């Protein structure tokens, strides 16, 4: 049950786009459409932003999009806004019927 | 509204036990797969355990297997986590979360989270 690999930090200016990667294995990220993404502001509970690799729950801005190629998934945020500054976590269901999270990425909006 | 509220956290000595509860409201709890996820101070999220709906299937992270037990009481709309043989490294905020479901399809994501309850293991 090794954690998925994410960059520790990314940054971008308002209006720009950023992409956060999430690398796993063929037993989790690469196995099926198992990937989800969460946004967490300090002191708050995580919020689901993307499920099943590419789908947005109702109410989540279309500035957030997901993608996957092989064992690596990614989250792209376009038109960066100040309120996007937060920690972002990827997660995947696994072939062992467990779940695993990435280490988290701190997004700074410059 | 759809809500999860955790309780039961606190300060416990190493080797001690604690039982966390998660009260669900605003949705059909009995149809929902539920998980516990924790977050150590200043660290990332760590999945702990989940329980399916119906004839409950459970699974655990290796770090808690044999020490923690997840259970549910659908009549009380409640989820539980019995934590035994607690260690300092179990210190964390514990969240309960619902697996995103639409109709009879269970998606891969957790769409409802509680506010968390804090567990501190220290002598």
């Amino acid at each position: 049950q090794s954690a998925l690999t994410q960059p520790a930090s990314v940054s971008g200016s308002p209006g720009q786009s950023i992409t956060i990667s999430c690398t796993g294995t063929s037993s989790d990220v690469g196995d099926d459409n198992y990937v989800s993404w969460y946004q967490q502001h300090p002191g708050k509970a995580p919020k689901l932003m993307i499920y099943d690799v590419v789908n947005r729950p109702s109410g989540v801005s279309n500035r957030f999009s997901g993608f996957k190629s092989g064992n690596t998934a990614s989250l792209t945020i376009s038109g960066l806004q100040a309120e996007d500054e937060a920690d972002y976590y990827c997660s995947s269901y696994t072939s062992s019927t467990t779940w695993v999270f990435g280490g988290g990425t701190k997004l700074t909006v410059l | 509204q759809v809500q999860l509220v955790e309780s039961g956290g606190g300060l416990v000595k190493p080797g001690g036990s604690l039982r966390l509860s998660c009260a669900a409201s605003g949705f059909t709890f009995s149809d929902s797969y539920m998980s516990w996820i924790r977050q150590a101070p200043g660290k990332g999220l760590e999945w702990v355990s989940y329980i399916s709906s119906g004839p409950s299937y459970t699974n655990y992270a290796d770090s808690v297997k044999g020490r923690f037990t997840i259970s549910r009481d659908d009549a009380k709309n409640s989820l539980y986590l019995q934590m035994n043989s607690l260690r300092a490294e179990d210190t964390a905020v514990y969240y309960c979360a619902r697996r995103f479901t639409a109709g009879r399809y269970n998606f891969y994501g957790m769409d409802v989270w509680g506010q968390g309850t804090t567990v501190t293991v220290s002598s």
Side-chain angles (χ1 to χ4, degrees):
Chain A
Q1 294 176 352
S2 298
L4 306 176
T5 300
Q6 298 181 232
S9 63
V10 297
S11 62
S13 299
Q16 289 186 332
S17 295
I18 64 94
T19 297
I20 300 170
S21 62
C22 171
T23 301
T25 70
S26 57
S27 297
D28 40 61
V29 173
D31 193 14
D32 205 329
N33 292 331
Y34 289 157
V35 176
S36 52
W37 289 90
Y38 301 86
Q39 176 192 66
Q40 186 180 35
H41 288 108
K44 301 294 188 182
K47 175 186 176 184
L48 179 65
M49 305 303 285
I50 297 287
Y51 65 94
D52 287 18
V53 178
V54 297
N55 297 304
R56 283 186 309 276
S58 174
V60 172
S61 170
N62 60 8
R63 298 185 298 105
F64 292 82
S65 61
F67 178 76
K68 189 188 82 167
S69 176
N71 297 336
T72 298
S74 59
L75 173 72
T76 296
I77 309 173
S78 58
L80 267 180
Q81 299 179 1
E83 60 261 36
D84 298 333
E85 185 162 294
D87 293 326
Y88 290 84
Y89 295 91
C90 63
S91 179
S92 179
Y93 190 64
T94 81
S95 57
S96 303
T97 67
T98 61
W99 295 80
V100 62
F101 282 89
T105 298
K106 181 177 180 61
L107 168 62
T108 301
V109 181
L110 302 170
Chain B
Q1 74 277 26
V2 174
Q3 193 173 11
L4 296 170
V5 178
E6 302 94 337
S7 61
L11 175 63
V12 60
K13 289 181 167 55
S17 297
L18 213 53
R19 188 195 196 205
L20 305 184
S21 299
C22 170
S25 59
F27 65 97
T28 306
F29 178 75
S30 58
D31 289 345
S32 299
Y33 282 52
M34 301 296 297
S35 281
W36 287 98
I37 297 104
R38 68 185 181 183
Q39 187 169 33
K43 302 297 184 182
L45 301 172
E46 180 188 14
W47 173 80
V48 173
S49 179
Y50 90 86
I51 187 168
S52 67
S53 61
S56 297
Y57 173 80
T58 62
N59 209 349
Y60 300 89
D62 289 343
S63 58
V64 307
K65 198 171 291 186
R67 300 188 299 123
F68 290 11
T69 302
I70 191 171
S71 63
R72 62 191 300 157
D73 185 337
D74 290 344
K76 294 183 177 180
N77 289 336
S78 292
L79 177 73
Y80 305 102
L81 186 68
Q82 178 66 42
M83 304 186 295
N84 299 330
S85 303
L86 282 162
R87 307 166 180 166
E89 53 265 37
D90 296 319
T91 295
V93 174
Y94 284 74
Y95 296 100
C96 62
R98 181 186 79 171
R99 185 172 176 182
F100 184 28
T101 298
R104 292 192 175 276
Y105 190 79
N106 293 298
F107 296 99
Y108 295 101
M110 300 175 206
D111 67 334
V112 181
W113 294 65
Q115 84 290 347
T117 187
T118 300
V119 173
T120 303
V121 184
S122 174
S123 55

